[in-house]
Amino acid sequence: MKVKKIAAIAIASACAFSMAACGGDDKGGAKTAEGNKTGITYPEINLGETGKDIKTTITFMNNRTDMNLDTYPGKNWKSYIEDFNKMYPNITVKVQTDSNYADSALTRLQANNDSWDIMMIPAVDKSEFSNYFVPYGETSEMEKVIKLADEKAYDGQTYGIANNGVTAGIVYNKKVFEEAGIKELPKTPEEFQADLKLIKEKTKAVPLYTNFVEDWAMGAWDQYIAGNATGDPKFMNQVLPTTKEPFKKDASAPDTHPYAVYKTLYDAVANGYTEEDYSTTDWESSKGKMNNGEIATMVLGAWAVPQMKQAGDHPDDIGYMPFPITVDGKQYATIAGDYSYGINKNISKEKQEASMIFVKWMTEDSGFAKNEGGIPIKADDESMPETYETFSDVELITDAPAKEGQEDLLANVNSDSELGINNGNGKKIQDIVVDAANRTRTIDQIMDEWNQKWAKAVEDNE
């Protein structure tokens, strides 16, 4: 599958804009990059005061179709908007959601129009941010008010603000683990496989539910190959795009690095520790099955925990544990943003300011992050949700940015290799399940093929 990437060259005539900073505003000359018509930056907004005279309607496009339903068991979009309107009654927020969000958002971006005001930023090269999005402010200033300010930044400007911080782990049912006689959570792939075996032998639960049918759920396995599997903050953005065989088994530490992550899935399927028929998995019903103990584990981000808790009568049975890889005696977890809010550069000054106000309210006042089991993004909010109670001995790390001049290297290698690491390509992970179930290819054969594709892409981008 060819990973979709917006080609800046192809649309240069429509959106060739400079990244140079432009004039100051009425608050003392704070710089705003071209594309920000508001004359104000995110740090300068005082919620409840800034923009009180604005009367407009903005459209917020996002991936959370479940939150657009009145039946959503958590706090839905309607409730958030109602709370926002208590502070800003004259800013109307219309919510649009899409179950095929990753593709739909890219299509809307390519249209390069004003049909949306805020969207969750899809897979876009960092060098293209200024073609589509409003800069919130200089990254050096944004770092003082939000976490992960450099995650969606380019050339010193921040273009996206994470809706919440997440770490990759495993959702599990505590009661099922107890029934299986598991007293300590697994810290290595071998311990994890042994626990899955106990669950199969001593309970009626599916040890590991793959969610095979859902492409996005399969793609979630990519989230564990960097800091979680290596303990190296530089791995994702500096090591991976320059290494020709990143998926080979590490000779000195075979239970670490990307190879160990994908082998964990392969072994679970090959050993019969997953659902009987992977082609019949169902995401919505799996939530209730996890809640009532029919499923023991699912490899998903922490965002899934609240949904599992809300899916039945046993919320206290749902837990979240670190991915079972240990590097030199220590477990790691990478903190990253889930999706990030981006504001359309093609809309009016009034809509841009209203959109930035709404994003700041969502980040600082709405409680969204913790409601969804995520880590708050406001810089001085050090609170952690209960979701992470098993992470007390885990070292949390953040991916280091790419080296100067290599900001788009990972995206280019990723696209050229057609592997789509962390870019929604769940098809390659589905292939692992199929090969493991049918014994058509070994994990080494699969990883060798990936290495060949990746090596060629690295060479082509040298």
Side-chain angles (χ1 to χ4, degrees):
M1 180 180 83
K2 186 70 174 177
V3 177
K4 295 186 177 181
K5 182 180 72 169
I6 299 178
I9 295 176
I11 56 175
S13 60
C15 51
F17 292 93
S18 168
M19 285 295 297
C22 60
D25 65 7
D26 59 2
K27 290 194 176 256
K31 292 182 179 179
T32 55
E34 187 170 346
N36 185 344
K37 304 170 187 174
T38 67
I40 194 169
T41 63
Y42 179 97
E44 294 171 327
I45 292 174
N46 293 314
L47 289 174
E49 299 179 11
T50 304
K52 288 295 287 185
D53 57 341
I54 293 177
K55 185 175 183 179
T56 190
T57 298
I58 57 176
T59 300
F60 172 32
M61 181 182 177
N62 67 81
N63 61 310
R64 292 299 299 272
T65 56
D66 53 343
M67 289 180 60
N68 221 17
L69 301 173
D70 289 338
T71 55
Y72 181 61
K75 187 170 182 176
N76 63 14
W77 287 128
K78 181 180 178 181
S79 296
Y80 281 112
I81 304 308
E82 288 175 349
D83 286 350
F84 173 70
N85 285 146
K86 293 175 183 177
M87 182 178 291
Y88 286 94
N90 296 320
I91 299 179
T92 300
V93 182
K94 293 185 176 180
V95 176
Q96 295 180 356
T97 61
D98 196 309
S99 59
N100 187 31
Y101 184 79
D103 289 337
S104 297
L106 287 177
T107 299
R108 295 283 282 274
L109 278 186
Q110 288 171 308
N112 205 33
N113 57 33
D114 60 358
S115 65
W116 57 276
D117 301 296
I118 305 169
M119 73 158 54
M120 309 315 290
I121 298 177
V124 179
D125 285 358
K126 289 189 173 185
S127 60
E128 297 178 37
F129 285 163
S130 65
N131 294 337
Y132 311 106
F133 304 111
V134 170
Y136 288 96
E138 295 182 13
T139 303
S140 59
E141 293 300 312
M142 293 295 291
E143 289 174 338
K144 299 175 183 178
V145 293
I146 65 167
K147 303 181 181 81
L148 304 171
D150 64 351
E151 191 169 82
K152 298 295 182 186
Y154 187 78
D155 200 22
Q157 296 285 332
T158 293
Y159 291 88
I161 296 175
N163 58 357
N164 66 87
V166 296
T167 66
I170 297 179
V171 187
Y172 75 105
N173 187 292
K174 300 176 185 177
K175 186 176 181 180
V176 172
F177 270 54
E178 183 180 338
E179 290 175 353
I182 300 169
K183 293 181 170 51
E184 294 184 5
L185 294 175
K187 295 184 178 181
T188 67
E190 287 82 3
E191 291 177 359
F192 185 56
Q193 297 297 328
D195 287 344
L196 296 181
K197 184 174 185 292
L198 286 173
I199 291 167
K200 182 175 182 178
E201 293 174 346
K202 297 186 176 184
T203 77
K204 295 181 179 180
V206 175
L208 172 64
Y209 194 77
T210 66
N211 272 304
F212 175 89
V213 172
E214 303 294 341
D215 186 275
W216 60 264
M218 290 276 83
W221 283 82
D222 289 338
Q223 299 173 12
Y224 304 83
I225 69 171
N228 296 65
T230 66
D232 182 3
K234 297 179 181 178
F235 183 85
M236 180 55 71
N237 295 314
Q238 298 183 24
V239 177
L240 182 61
T242 59
T243 301
K244 293 182 179 179
E245 294 184 314
F247 307 107
K248 70 178 181 180
K249 182 191 297 186
D250 188 290
S252 60
D255 289 335
T256 66
H257 287 74
Y259 177 92
V261 174
Y262 299 118
K263 187 176 186 294
T264 297
L265 172 61
Y266 186 97
D267 288 348
V269 176
N271 291 331
Y273 302 150
T274 55
E275 61 278 339
E276 290 185 8
D277 184 356
Y278 54 78
S279 68
T280 62
T281 64
D282 178 71
W283 164 243
E284 289 301 330
S285 65
S286 75
K287 301 176 189 179
K289 290 178 179 178
M290 170 65 79
N291 186 285
N292 65 27
E294 293 178 59
I295 294 172
T297 67
M298 282 196 273
V299 176
L300 291 169
W303 58 266
V305 173
Q307 296 190 40
M308 303 300 172
K309 285 179 174 290
Q310 295 158 5
D313 299 328
H314 309 283
D316 293 341
D317 290 346
I318 305 301
Y320 197 62
M321 66 179 178
F323 195 83
I325 286 181
T326 298
V327 182
D328 293 330
K330 192 169 188 62
Q331 286 187 282
Y332 297 85
T334 301
I335 299 178
D338 183 11
Y339 263 115
S340 294
Y341 303 104
I343 298 174
N344 194 341
K345 72 169 297 178
N346 296 311
I347 58 178
S348 69
K349 173 182 177 180
E350 186 175 58
K351 284 179 177 288
Q352 285 187 0
E353 185 168 349
S355 296
M356 196 174 293
I357 288 169
F358 178 69
V359 170
K360 187 158 189 172
W361 182 85
M362 284 295 296
T363 303
E364 296 191 358
D365 280 14
S366 73
F368 175 87
K370 292 188 75 172
N371 289 344
E372 294 301 310
I375 299 169
I377 295 301
K378 188 178 180 183
D380 59 2
D381 188 344
E382 298 300 326
S383 61
M384 293 284 282
E386 293 180 5
T387 300
Y388 296 103
E389 61 184 359
T390 65
F391 283 67
S392 59
D393 294 327
V394 175
E395 183 171 333
L396 303 179
I397 60 177
T398 304
D399 286 333
K403 293 180 180 179
E404 186 175 352
Q406 295 184 347
E407 289 86 355
D408 289 333
L409 182 58
L410 175 58
N412 292 336
V413 172
N414 212 6
S415 178
D416 292 347
S417 71
E418 301 187 1
L419 289 179
I421 302 296
N422 277 325
N423 260 4
N425 180 10
K427 172 62 169 58
K428 68 180 186 299
I429 314 296
Q430 289 171 326
D431 289 343
I432 291 177
V433 173
V434 174
D435 284 326
N438 299 317
R439 307 299 174 96
T440 46
R441 290 189 299 171
T442 66
I443 187 62
D444 290 330
Q445 289 173 323
I446 298 170
M447 294 297 100
D448 285 346
E449 180 184 308
W450 289 17
N451 278 326
Q452 291 173 19
K453 292 180 177 180
W454 196 264
K456 185 179 186 305
V458 170
E459 291 173 358
D460 291 344
N461 284 276
E462 287 179 340

